Structure formats: structure tokens, C-alpha cells
Amino acid sequence: MSMQDRLALYSRNRLKLGLFGANCSSGRAVTKVPERWSGNWEDCLRLARMADDAGIEFMLPVGRWKGYGGDTDYQGETLETVTWAAGLLAATQHLTVFGTVHAPLIHPLIAAKQFATADHIGQGRFGLNIVCGWNEGEFDMFGATMREHAARYEYAQEWFDVIKLAWSNAEDFDFAGQFIRLHQARAKPKPFGGTLPIVMNAGASPTGQAFAIRNCDALFSMTPKGKLDEFAAHVAKVKSLGRQIDVYTVGVITCRSTQHEAEDYYRHCVIDNADWAAVDRIMAMRGVTREAFPDDFEERRYHQANGMGGVPIVGDPDTVARELAQLAATGAKGIALSFVNYLDELPFFVDEVMPRLARVGLRETK
């Protein structure tokens, strides 16, 4: 096992595919439809085994500690991501499973050992998604103070520096930073196989992107709706900055046998039965108000309801495959997918869309 194997997610496919947000109730769809995702352990386990058998490369959870209310208490029940990853890694053979971890809330020595433990369970298939936090209500719940934006990443830098030392140092080490001070620290065992877990970050601000480019193997970026040229320029810029880093994005899939069926279901879930109280609360927390965005506020609401901002891909298998191929053409290495109900909808995607991606050279046939 080499570091290149880890970065390729043990796959020769040009376009890597993953599942995003399955550890949360309702997943990424802010909807009231009764078939919305449960997020419970039994369904997550079945989904991971299904994805593993289908050749899907990764599962990426959402780090969430507190739901958003509304009629469904959107994402109100969530499975903690590192223990979730460890359980799924023990039950699969090929899948890379990420833990999404708030750096300010977990001591780096504890975190380093948790990650190494999960990595041994998965024999090198654990990945780390570092988040610095934006939801002040979650920090209040812990009695923690959210730092000013730039300071969040300064802390995250020290936190990750400690983790890298814990993963690599054979001897005990000291650390004296602005935020973290350690004396005679140690962490054994090291990650599996003499290499390190793939590390991802989703920083969107210049400060966040600089952190990712400096430290991570992958930057997770949202694709602006209808702006593939803009996203392609973003990918090219990231790749031009001198350090090898891949860009991943997210697609929110509504795929049915016909375009008409897909559009009908999208309208049913995202417009007729959206949990608008939860949508509006999420948007208000992010400062997205009708007054601030008078020209496209309603469009932003629909976009939020569909998949928390991921690019909506709605259509028959030909349409979905074509739009995924267009995302791949921007230079994106992988796409994390979400569905209203992952277990119900993934088999059709695997049977119909993935062979189409293989025919255009983005995937190998399973």
C-alpha cells in the first residue's frame, strides 16, 4: 500500500464517486417526505455494504452536533463520525470512509489516536475531513467560544501539526504553540502500513482554501449552479498553486427512468414538501436573507432545500450521466453524491448511471 494508493482511494477510476451526509437524519435533503433518509445505523451499514459492492470509492459524513429544527428537526439525529467510520470500515473491504472532525472540539492527541485506530480497523481506508466550525449554537452547546475566522484556521494549523507529529514521531515530543502546549507527548500505534490517511478540508474563504492547499490532499468545493466555467477556473487555480491537491465537489441526485418522472419527484420533495422552517433557519444562520439577496433569494431557498447547496442533477440516466461527466470535465477528481433516500435510489443509479459513466471512460465496469 502506497500513499498514491490512498490518494486514489484504491481505485483506477478517473472519476471517484462517494456518498455524502448519510450519517444524518434526512441526509442532505431538507424535506418532509416520509421516505426521507433515516440516518440510523442499520441503514448506514446496509448502504456502506451496497456502495462497497458497487465499487463506489468513499463515504463522507457531516459533522453535526445539533439539529436545525423545523417540522423534521432537520439533521437532529446524527451518528458521530469517527466511530461511525470505524464501524463501517470493519464491515467493508474497499470503501474509504472519512471522519468529519471539528478541530476546536477534540484534543489533537485524542484525535490522532482515534484516527489511527480507525485506520487500522480499515487497513488504510480511513480518511480525515477537517472542519473548523461555523455554527455558533453548536459551540455554545459545548461551552466553547468560536474564534474569529482567521484565528479558527490558526488554531486548526496547530491542531493538525500536533496530529502529524503524533502520527510520525517515533520518540516523545513537546509542542509549544499559541493555542496548544504539550509535554512529552506520544501516540502509538501510527496509521496503518507506514502511510498517512488522506486529508480533506472544505474551506471556502481565501483563508480556508489556503489552509487546505497548505495541509490537505483534497479540497472539497461546492460547484456554483450553472457556472461550470467558473468552477473549472477554480479547479485550475487550486492545481496551479504548487502543491499536489485534488478538488472534489458534491452533486445532489434525483434520477428516474424519464426526465418527467425525475422533475416531478424533485418538485414533490424540494418545493411542495420542503421543510421551509428548517431551510429559513439555516439560511438566517448564514446571513442569507431576502434583504441581502433580493434578486435570487427564492432560488437560494430551493437550492438549500434540495441538498444544502450542492449542485442539483435532475433527470433520466442519460441526463444524470452527462451532467456528472461535465463536472468531471472541470478537473474535479471526485463527486460526493446525496439522494433523498440513499438505499432506495442508489441501486438504480448503480445499474443505469454508472455504466454510462464507464462508456465515456470515467469509470471502469464493475
Side-chain angles (χ1 to χ4, degrees), residues 42 78 91 234 250 318 325 329 333 352 354 361:
E42 292 77 11
T78 60
H234 164 72
V250 60
D318 287 332
K333 180 72 169 288
E352 296 295 335
M354 287 175 62

Side-chain angles (χ1 to χ4, degrees), residues 180-233:
I180 301 169
R181 302 184 69 85
L182 306 175
H183 178 65
Q184 293 295 284
R186 71 179 68 174
K188 299 177 183 180
K190 308 305 180 186
F192 183 82
T195 56
L196 302 180
I198 181 173
V199 179
M200 177 181 286
N201 176 259
S205 68
T207 302
Q209 290 186 17
F211 172 85
I213 291 165
R214 190 166 60 247
N215 294 284
C216 299
D217 306 300
L219 174 64
F220 190 69
S221 299
M222 292 292 188
T223 308
K225 184 180 179 183
K227 298 179 180 179
L228 289 181
D229 289 346
E230 182 180 315
F231 187 69

Side-chain angles (χ1 to χ4, degrees), residues 32-95:
K32 296 186 287 187
V33 295
E35 68 272 20
R36 66 185 182 273
W37 182 242
S38 71
N40 67 39
W41 172 247
E42 292 77 11
D43 285 349
C44 284
L45 183 59
R46 288 177 60 205
L47 180 65
R49 287 171 168 159
M50 182 187 293
D52 201 37
D53 290 342
I56 286 172
E57 281 87 359
F58 67 98
M59 289 184 70
L60 178 66
V62 172
R64 181 72 63 243
W65 297 99
K66 193 174 189 178
Y68 291 110
D71 295 324
T72 62
D73 188 21
Y74 176 65
Q75 292 188 344
E77 294 189 18
T78 60
L79 297 174
E80 189 281 318
T81 69
V82 179
T83 43
W84 177 85
L88 297 183
L89 288 166
T92 55
Q93 295 182 315
H94 310 290
L95 199 63

Side-chain angles (χ1 to χ4, degrees), residues 61-177:
V62 172
R64 181 72 63 243
W65 297 99
K66 193 174 189 178
Y68 291 110
D71 295 324
T72 62
D73 188 21
Y74 176 65
Q75 292 188 344
E77 294 189 18
T78 60
L79 297 174
E80 189 281 318
T81 69
V82 179
T83 43
W84 177 85
L88 297 183
L89 288 166
T92 55
Q93 295 182 315
H94 310 290
L95 199 63
T96 293
V97 186
F98 285 82
T100 297
V101 178
H102 285 80
L105 299 182
I106 301 178
H107 192 282
L109 283 181
I110 295 173
K113 187 172 282 289
Q114 286 179 319
F115 305 155
T117 301
D119 199 45
H120 278 261
I121 291 169
Q123 296 189 314
R125 293 182 288 117
F126 176 76
L128 170 61
N129 179 28
I130 301 173
V131 292
C132 296
W134 66 273
N135 186 336
E136 194 167 353
E138 290 190 328
F139 276 63
D140 287 345
M141 188 172 73
F142 284 88
T145 301
M146 183 175 288
R147 297 178 176 88
E148 180 271 328
H149 184 75
R152 294 176 210 170
Y153 286 96
E154 292 168 2
Y155 178 86
Q157 186 64 64
E158 287 191 14
W159 183 87
F160 190 49
D161 287 344
V162 168
I163 286 173
K164 289 185 289 185
L165 287 169
W167 281 349
S168 59
N169 273 30
E171 305 298 327
D172 294 357
F173 64 92
D174 297 337
F175 187 89

